[in-house]
Amino acid sequence: MDQIIVQILNGLDKGSAYALIALGLTLIFGTLGVVNFAHGALFMMGAFCAVILSKILTISREVAVEGQTDFLGNPLMRDVPVIYNWFGETAGAAIIDWNVPLAILFSIPIMIGIGFAMERGLIKHFYKRPHADQILVTFGLAIVLAEVIKYFFGANPIQTPAPAAFTGSLDFGVWLGYDPLTIMYPYWRLVYFFFSALIIAGVFAFLQFTTFGMVVRAGMADRETVQMLGIDIDKRFTFMFGLAAAVAGLAGVMYAPIVAPNYHMGMDFLVLSFVVVVVGGMGSLPGAVAAGFLLGILESFASMPAVVQVLPGINQIIIYLVAIIILLTRPRGLMGRKGVMED
Amino acid sequence: MSKSNFTRRGVIKTGAVGGAALALPQYLRADGHAGFTNAPGDSEVVLGFNVPQTGPYADEGADELRAYELAVEHLNGGGDGGMLNTFSSKVLDGTGILGREVKYVTGDTQTKSDAARASARSMIEKDGAIMITGGSSSGVAVAVQALCQEAGIIFMAGLTHSNDTTGKDRKANGFRHFFNSYMTGAALAPVLAANYGTDRKAYHLTADYNWGYTTEEAIRASTEAVGWETVNSVKTPLTQTDFSSYIAPVLNSGADVLVLNHYGGNMVNSLTNAVQFGLRDAVANGKNFEIVVPLYSRLMARGAGANVKGIYGSTNWHWSLQDEGSQAFVRSFGTKYGFPPSQAAHTTYVQTLLYADAVTRAGSFAPCAVAEALEDFEFDGLGNGKTLYRGSDHQCFKDVLVVRGKENPESEFDLLEIVEVTPVDQVMYSPDHPQMGGAEASLGECNNGA
């Protein structure tokens, strides 16, 4: 039972990332009708916002260490972050330690800006083109963004740790009456789950309870009628692209301490996120979120050693297997609407 | 009225024959024939450096390329000479190889076997490379080695640690300086037993590909030989990034040691996840829970950051070694590039020098003559102490370094500390060892090619 609880927690955690990315994908597809294969790259760019902020905060000046030499026999130089000069060593170290939470604020304007630039600069020229063209151009864009990141940051993963206060694990089992150390779960993964839930709730509340959101939802349902009412729906949809980029970016920022960012991480999530969108139902926001958590949990259970030993390889195909079954029984996905991607 | 001898059919025939001749690989053209593939001219010789320039191991590939450029510079008489000054063989004099200036071409393996074979084939057929070297993956090494065997080219492997490269997939035209999984197990197990005791229960997470299998096999065999028990081993997909589902069950499995048979990004992520799940701080079976990473690389250790502290593993070479050869190489490389070389850089630099030396001693570029010169060649001064290039499997035998993640690193390069230099005798094995393909494993016949 303890293993089942751990895998449910793992699944919720993975599902959080899938749900956030799929939510952004669905927002873009639902508003602009674009199948955005560069969305995984936005997730990766978000993670690298945390890396970039870390690099900025640790800009250093070199100070010679007396009596010590480097590998070439020259005086050993130690990097001292410039931020120590401004805030003192204790406060400076604390700011560097809290890099990832600070990167949330840092990433929002950057990701909205990237989203705007992508939509206005490239993707808007493909609205009236077939989906195959949109897929090709956005996939190409994803490769370009990944290569740009690799050029500046290299191919190796870059550790971006969570604040020291969130390292270590919570003894979750004690709360449920198990012996100590039976069910341990990392603090930061719990933070990630609650953060994701907050973002998802925020996006739904924005669409449900604001006038802007109401217009966007109306535009998603019937774009022409909204335009006939004199509303510039295109401008709102462009904003939604920026919002979707910011959601993907935030998912990436918070994921950075879980898996060390590397230039390829967007691609790793992209295909799975598309499966999530299709299983949830094209254009359905609640469907994307539900499918994200469902597939995350299934993937975690399929990776349990006890399961893999009985069914070798099941961990690598479970998501696709379930997707096939769901699409065979519910061709529009779990919560898909009639008429979406059916022309 | 003039009468032309040209006919439409004649032009087509001539064109077809000429086109076919031009399309022939260089090594099959008449001017290239000297009884072996890509015989060089009198003025220069071309080496092919096949390294990952894109893909997940691009950083290691970049370091390999730096080392190759340095080796070429030294062979041509430039720079400070590096390890040429410490190498026990003294036939290389800085005038290239057999009086020919060394040129090089590069290919991108992308850490994919098919791409690596295509780039190696291109360097052989179009650029006339006489020798192919490099790579940062065992899958790539085995694939390119087989290609070089067919083409009649010497292959000097780069970073490849799987037993199979010089085990069941060994080839007469292929040579490996890097150590292997068996040697890691033989060197690491006694150190683990001394530090963690002989009553331990190990849980293996193993990357689901060739290198992972041979490493798990080697570590299991060597740790079980010192009294450890293996409680479980689980294969993990090579594309896995989040290992939480695999790590979470470890603590309640009865194990008190986790062995991560992972390399590269897999190692960085699985180790990070293991630390996140509190395994470093846990107690199991009344003992501190321990993690072991059999194959370390400085570039990967940098990716894993503080998570490597105190964790044991092995490495082929480390820049902090104090022998003359290592210091000469570190000085040359550090002066040129501003930071110390990685083990990938070291092995590729050494392989280039060893090839050049073998050609010079053989007095010929013919692959079979070069292979004969390398076989059972004993040397020193290249950074790992006395070394033997064994003739029966083309594997180098030398001391193996057992390392540990450093607790207080002084720089981003100072991440590992050497805890033991395991003598070569302790990591020696017979050429027909079961882990190395058994009695059926054979080098086959040397191939001179054209």
Side-chain angles (χ1 to χ4, degrees), chain B residues 137-139 141-142 145 157 159-171 176 178-186 209-222 295 390 392-397 427-438 441-443:
Chain B
S137 143
S138 292
V142 168
Q145 182 168 258
L159 197 159
T160 161
H161 185 251
S162 166
N163 284 341
D164 291 352
T165 310
T166 47
K168 76 176 177 62
D169 295 319
R170 70 184 76 159
K171 293 280 183 277
R176 168 162 67 179
F178 207 71
F179 72 148
N180 59 35
S181 301
Y182 177 91
M183 295 174 175
T184 285
Y209 72 112
N210 177 286
W211 172 79
Y213 307 150
T214 69
T215 302
E216 183 194 313
E217 184 185 21
I219 302 295
R220 280 181 75 148
S222 58
L295 178 60
R390 189 161 72 178
S392 49
D393 56 2
H394 294 183
Q395 171 68 52
C396 263
F397 286 84
V427 299
M428 194 68 109
Y429 54 84
S430 69
D432 59 353
H433 191 282
Q435 285 186 36
M436 313 306 287
S442 157
L443 286 168

Side-chain angles (χ1 to χ4, degrees), chain A residues 210-221:
Chain A
T210 65
T211 310
F212 191 101
M214 185 185 70
V215 173
V216 168
R217 280 189 294 123
M220 287 169 78

Side-chain angles (χ1 to χ4, degrees), chain A residues 10 32 92 162 176 242-243 263 309 322:
Chain A
N10 268 333
L32 301 169
L176 302 172
L243 180 69
Y263 78 102
Q309 275 160 4
V322 171

Side-chain angles (χ1 to χ4, degrees), chain A residues 11-85:
Chain A
L12 289 174
D13 200 55
K14 276 184 191 171
S16 304
Y18 294 157
L20 279 178
I21 300 174
L23 184 68
L25 272 172
T26 306
L27 273 176
I28 292 171
F29 181 75
T31 53
L32 301 169
V34 172
V35 182
N36 182 21
F37 263 70
H39 207 70
L42 293 172
F43 174 77
M44 178 268 294
M45 300 287 277
F48 272 89
C49 280
V51 174
I52 291 167
L53 184 63
S54 164
K55 301 263 182 210
I56 293 171
L57 292 176
T58 52
I59 289 173
S60 303
R61 59 192 169 84
E62 287 190 331
V63 176
V65 182
E66 274 185 38
Q68 290 191 42
T69 55
D70 68 5
F71 70 101
L72 289 174
N74 302 318
L76 180 67
M77 306 300 283
R78 180 157 291 158
D79 291 338
V80 177
V82 174
I83 201 170
Y84 287 5
N85 291 354

